[in-house]
Amino acid sequence: INLMKLKKKDVLALINKTSRGIALPDQIVSEIVDKTDGVPLFIEELSKEVIESGLVVEQEGRYILSGMKKELSIPATLRDSLTSRLDRLGSAKETAQLGAVIGREFPRDLLKAILPIDDDLLEAELAKLVDAELLYKSAVDARRYIFKHALIQDAAYESILKKTRHLLHEQIARTLPELTPQIEDSQPELLAYHYTAAGQPAKAIPLWLKAGQLAFAKSTNNEAVACFTKGLQLLVALPETPQVLQQELMFQLNLGMTLIAIKGYTDVDVEKAFMRAREICNLFGESPQLFPVLWGLWAFNLVRREFDQARQLGDELMHIAEQEDDDDLLLEAHITVGLNLLYSRGEFESARRHIEKAVSLYTRDKHEAHVAVYLQDPGVVALAHLCWLQWLTGDVDDALDTQEKLEALAQELGHPYSYAYSLIWTEVLHYFRLAPQQAQQAADRVLVIARQNIFPNWIADGEMVRGWALARQGRAEEGIELLKHGMAMWHAIGARLWLTQALGLLADALNENGRVDEALSTVNEALESVQKVKETYYESELWRLKGEILLKQSDANLAKAEECFLNAKKVAARQKAKIFELRATMQLVKIWRRRNNDQATHELESILNRITQGQGTDEVRTARDVLHDLKGKV
C-alpha cells in the first residue's frame, strides 16, 4: 500500500497529539515539520525526542525552550533519534537490545533465561520500555512483547557491537530448545536464523533445509524458497567437500520443485536448480536423488515442448526404475513415458497402457508422501491423464467415472497444487466434450485455488479455458480477451506445451462469434505449430475446426473443407482417437450424403461400431440418429 506523506495540517495535528495537547515552541514545531518530511513515525519519534531530552520544559500549560535556541539540536535522522531515546533509558536499553536480537516480537521467558537480572527488575525495565512506547504488550499473550516499529528494533540491534550480537544469537539458539523442546520440529527456521546470525553455518544449514521442507509441505512455497535460498547462500561460502556437495544437492532439488509451484515448470531458475543438482549427482555417480532430479528436468523439457529431450529423460527414468525394480520409481516412470507418448506422438493407446500401469501401482497411503519430492500427487496425475485417454479412445463412460475418482482423491488429499492439477484436467475434459458450462465451472474453481496459492501456470490455463467457455456462451468479447490474456501469461512463463490446443480454443471462440477470418488465421498458426514442434495430440481437432471455419467463410470452400475433414479423420484413426474420428466423420457425412449416400453410411457405421460407450451422450446419440436416417434412405 503506497502511503502518501502527511500534509502540514496533519503533521501539526500529530505533533499536538504526541505532546498530549501541550503546545511546543513554534521554532521546534517548524524544525520537526522540516526534518520529518511528512513521515508519521518520524514525526512521533522526533516529537518525543524533544520532550524527553529536556530541550523543552512545561510551563503554564505549554512547552518553552529550556535554554538558548543555539542549544537546540534535533537529530537529523530517525535512526539517530531512536538511538538517542534508547541511550536515555539506562539499564532498560540492554533489555531492548536483547529483545531486538531475538526478533520484532519476543517472549519474556526467553529474556529472563538470558539476562542475569531478577524478575522484579526485568518487569520494571519492560514497563519502562512500554511507557516510552518503544514496546507493546502482545494482545494475544501478555508475556510477549512487540517493538512498535521495525525501525525501533533495528536501532536497538545496530547499537550492539557485532561480536556481542554473535554471542547473543548463539546463546538464544542454545536456549530456545531448553524452553521449547519441540522447536526444532515446529520452527526450525527460528533456530536457523539465530545460528546464521551467530556465524555458525554448519548448524544453520541443515535447519534451513528442514524449515524449507516444512514450508513446502504446508504449501507456503514463498517461505520455502526463502529458506532454501538462505541455506544455499551459506553453502556457497564453504569449501566443496563431499558433505557440502551432498547438502547442496538436497537444497537444489527441493528449490527446483518449489520453484515449479510458484514460477511454473519452465522458469529459467527451475532449470538452473535441476541442472546444478544433476552436475552434483554426476560427481557422486549413482545417487538416490538422481531420479527426482531427472524428473524435474523431464517436466521442464516436456512443458517447454523440448520433446526429444523429454523422451530421452523419460527413457532414462524408466531404465533406473526397472534397474532398481522399485514400484515407487516405476509409478513415476510410467507417468513420464505415458505423457511423452500422449503429447509428442499422439500414441493414445500406448500412452494409456503406461498410465493404467501407473494407476495400478498407486496406493494413496503409500504414495501420498510423493508430493514432498515431486510436488504433485502421482495418483492425481495418473487419473487426470487416464480420464483424458479413456475419453479420446472412446471409453466415454469410463472417462467420466475416472474423473469422479480423480476429484474425490484430490479433495481427500487436501494438497492445493494437486487439487488444482485435478481441476485443470477436468476443465479440459469438458472442453474436449464441447461442454462450455461445465468447463467454466471447473475453470472458476481452478482460478480460485491458483490465485490463492499463486500458481501462475494454473492461473494461465484456467483463464484460457474460462475464456473459451464464456465466448461459447455468448460473452464473446470478454471471453476472447480473457483467453488471449491466459495465452500471453502461459507464454510469458516460458510454457509451450498445450499452445496448439490454446490456439484451437481461440480459433473456435472466434469462429463461434463470427470473426471467421481471424479464426482461420489462428487455426492455420496452430497447424503450422503442429508440423514444426510435433505436438500432435490435438491435430485432428485442428483439421476439423479448420474445415468448419472454411465452410462458414464461403460455400466455395467445400472442397478445401472436405480435405480438412479427411485429414482430421485420418489423424484420429491413426491415433485411435475414436471421438475425434466420429466428429470428423460427421462433418464428412454432411458432404458425402449429397452425392454418395452409401459411403456416408458405411463410414459412419464403421466408427459407431467401434464406440461401445457413451451411448447416452449427445454426440453419439446424434450420430446414431443420422445413421438411422441414412439407412432409411438406402
Side-chain angles (χ1 to χ4, degrees):
I1 302 173
N2 187 24
L3 299 178
M4 305 302 291
K5 297 175 182 178
L6 295 183
K7 295 179 180 179
K8 185 175 180 179
K9 66 180 181 66
D10 296 316
V11 175
L12 296 175
L14 187 54
I15 293 172
N16 187 56
K17 181 182 178 183
T18 305
S19 64
R20 294 171 290 115
I22 302 172
L24 288 166
D26 290 344
Q27 62 264 49
I28 295 285
V29 171
S30 178
E31 196 161 350
I32 292 174
V33 170
D34 290 342
K35 288 178 179 285
T36 57
D37 198 27
V39 179
L41 178 65
F42 206 172
I43 296 164
E44 283 190 347
E45 292 305 322
L46 283 185
S47 300
K48 290 173 184 174
E49 165 71 14
V50 167
I51 296 166
E52 293 175 3
S53 65
L55 291 173
V56 294
V57 293
E58 187 177 351
Q59 189 176 95
E60 297 180 357
R62 60 179 292 112
Y63 284 114
I64 62 170
L65 291 171
S66 61
M68 298 297 291
K69 173 70 175 70
K70 65 180 181 179
E71 296 176 3
L72 176 62
S73 177
I74 296 179
T77 69
L78 180 56
R79 177 64 57 82
D80 292 338
S81 173
L82 293 170
T83 301
S84 177
R85 292 188 64 207
L86 285 167
D87 287 340
R88 287 195 298 275
L89 288 171
S91 59
K93 176 183 177 181
E94 186 179 349
T95 303
Q97 287 174 321
L98 178 56
V101 177
I102 296 170
R104 174 78 184 276
E105 182 176 342
F106 57 88
R108 178 190 179 283
D109 290 349
L110 186 54
L111 283 177
K112 181 182 176 184
I114 296 173
L115 278 176
I117 58 176
D118 62 39
D119 281 356
D120 291 341
L121 181 56
L122 178 59
E123 286 296 332
E125 293 188 342
L126 286 169
K128 188 184 293 185
L129 292 168
V130 171
D131 290 341
E133 295 188 13
L134 296 174
L135 297 180
Y136 292 140
K137 276 190 176 184
S138 168
V140 178
D141 183 351
R143 295 169 300 176
R144 298 184 68 84
Y145 292 82
I146 305 167
F147 281 97
K148 176 183 176 181
H149 195 281
L151 291 174
I152 299 173
Q153 180 198 355
D154 290 345
Y157 187 84
E158 293 297 330
S159 68
I160 310 171
L161 292 173
K162 192 172 183 179
K163 183 178 179 181
T164 304
R165 288 205 302 261
H166 283 189
L167 293 172
L168 287 173
H169 278 295
E170 182 182 3
Q171 192 173 0
I172 291 165
R174 285 190 283 104
T175 305
L176 278 169
E178 296 172 6
L179 296 176
T180 312
Q182 72 277 15
I183 196 166
E184 187 172 332
D185 293 323
S186 61
Q187 291 181 285
E189 70 282 356
L190 192 55
L191 295 177
Y193 162 73
H194 286 295
Y195 276 124
T196 299
Q200 297 192 26
K203 292 182 178 179
I205 287 167
L207 288 165
W208 282 127
L209 180 62
K210 187 171 187 176
Q213 289 171 331
L214 280 175
F216 180 70
K218 296 174 184 175
S219 295
T220 51
N221 295 310
N222 285 308
E223 291 179 25
V225 168
C227 293
F228 295 138
T229 302
K230 287 172 183 174
L232 282 168
Q233 288 169 346
L234 294 178
L235 282 164
V236 166
L238 300 178
E240 284 194 354
T241 64
Q243 181 185 3
V244 167
L245 286 171
Q246 186 63 42
Q247 286 179 313
E248 185 188 353
L249 171 58
M250 294 303 297
F251 273 97
Q252 296 286 8
L253 174 58
N254 281 275
L255 177 62
M257 293 296 178
T258 312
L259 286 172
I260 288 175
I262 62 175
K263 291 190 173 186
Y265 293 95
T266 50
D267 188 83
V268 290
D269 289 335
V270 171
E271 183 187 30
K272 182 179 176 182
F274 286 124
M275 288 297 288
R276 175 56 181 161
R278 187 174 191 176
E279 285 177 18
I280 298 172
C281 286
N282 291 340
L283 291 174
F284 285 109
E286 292 297 321
S287 168
Q289 285 75 40
L290 178 60
F291 190 92
V293 167
L294 293 178
W295 183 96
L297 288 170
W298 163 78
F300 173 86
N301 281 281
L302 180 71
V303 183
R304 290 280 290 193
R305 276 197 321 211
E306 299 291 344
F307 289 139
D308 289 342
Q309 273 291 100
R311 282 194 293 267
Q312 182 181 334
L313 288 160
D315 291 344
E316 207 171 335
L317 288 165
M318 182 62 76
H319 174 73
I320 294 172
E322 289 176 341
Q323 196 173 41
E324 294 289 328
D325 193 23
D326 185 322
D327 283 350
D328 290 353
L329 301 185
L330 282 166
L331 165 60
E332 298 289 352
H334 278 292
I335 291 173
T336 62
V337 174
L339 268 56
N340 284 340
L341 290 166
L342 165 61
Y343 290 118
S344 67
R345 293 185 177 178
E347 297 180 14
F348 297 155
E349 288 191 337
S350 297
R352 179 171 170 175
R353 285 193 291 272
H354 281 282
I355 298 300
E356 285 175 338
K357 181 63 176 176
V359 170
S360 72
L361 290 169
Y362 176 79
T363 304
R364 178 190 162 187
D365 292 343
K366 182 180 180 183
H367 296 113
E368 190 174 350
H370 276 224
V371 297
V373 181
Y374 302 98
L375 174 65
Q376 53 213 24
D377 181 81
V380 166
V381 178
L383 288 172
H385 285 90
L386 180 58
C387 72
W388 268 28
L389 289 162
Q390 287 171 329
W391 188 90
L392 288 166
T393 53
D395 292 335
V396 176
D397 298 332
D398 289 346
L400 296 175
D401 288 344
T402 300
Q403 188 275 321
E404 289 182 5
K405 292 175 184 175
L406 165 65
E407 183 156 354
L409 173 62
Q411 287 181 332
E412 288 170 10
L413 290 170
H415 180 244
Y417 195 85
S418 297
Y419 187 48
Y421 194 107
S422 73
L423 292 172
I424 288 294
W425 268 260
T426 294
E427 66 173 15
V428 178
L429 177 64
H430 291 315
Y431 162 64
F432 280 171
R433 296 173 57 227
L434 302 179
Q437 187 175 358
Q438 293 93 324
Q440 182 189 334
Q441 290 169 354
D444 287 343
R445 293 161 69 197
V446 167
L447 289 170
V448 168
I449 193 168
R451 286 169 177 160
Q452 284 176 344
N453 293 277
I454 316 175
F455 299 147
N457 43 348
W458 301 150
I459 294 173
D461 192 279
E463 287 188 352
M464 287 187 279
V465 175
R466 186 175 195 275
W468 169 82
L470 291 176
R472 269 273 183 158
Q473 296 176 90
R475 296 162 66 180
E477 201 169 314
E478 178 187 358
I480 290 169
E481 190 64 30
L482 183 61
L483 204 168
K484 287 181 176 179
H485 184 271
M487 290 175 67
M489 185 177 180
W490 188 250
H491 201 277
I493 61 177
R496 299 295 179 268
L497 190 69
W498 307 332
L499 273 179
T500 52
Q501 180 183 320
L503 287 167
L505 285 166
L506 180 57
D508 184 68
L510 291 165
N511 186 50
E512 283 290 313
N513 290 281
R515 294 161 64 172
V516 181
D517 292 342
E518 288 180 71
L520 185 58
S521 174
T522 302
V523 79
N524 280 334
E525 182 184 348
L527 285 165
E528 287 170 10
S529 179
V530 168
Q531 297 306 312
K532 183 178 180 180
V533 301
K534 307 302 179 187
E535 186 180 38
T536 61
Y537 76 98
Y538 199 65
E539 183 181 359
S540 173
E541 281 290 85
L542 293 173
W543 282 116
R544 178 190 61 81
L545 183 56
K546 180 176 180 179
E548 291 183 2
I549 295 168
L550 285 168
L551 286 177
K552 193 167 186 177
Q553 187 181 50
S554 171
D555 290 340
N557 289 331
L558 183 62
K560 291 180 181 178
E562 182 178 2
E563 183 180 354
C564 289
F565 296 140
L566 285 168
N567 284 339
K569 181 174 172 60
K570 180 180 177 182
V571 171
R574 184 180 72 243
Q575 294 178 339
K576 306 295 192 298
K578 296 174 187 175
I579 299 299
F580 287 169
E581 186 180 355
L582 175 63
R583 286 181 184 168
T585 303
M586 286 289 286
Q587 293 297 330
L588 286 166
V589 164
K590 293 177 185 178
I591 298 172
W592 290 341
R593 68 192 303 179
R594 303 176 189 177
R595 62 173 185 256
N596 190 336
N597 197 66
D598 289 341
Q599 183 182 9
T601 303
H602 171 75
E603 293 293 342
L604 186 54
E605 186 169 29
S606 173
I607 180 60
L608 282 172
N609 286 340
R610 286 180 278 128
I611 297 176
T612 59
Q613 293 191 17
Q615 301 305 308
T617 63
D618 290 343
E619 279 192 283
V620 176
R621 190 167 55 244
T622 299
R624 292 205 174 278
D625 288 344
V626 171
L627 179 61
H628 179 75
D629 184 51
L630 286 169
K631 285 184 172 183
K633 292 180 180 179
V634 175

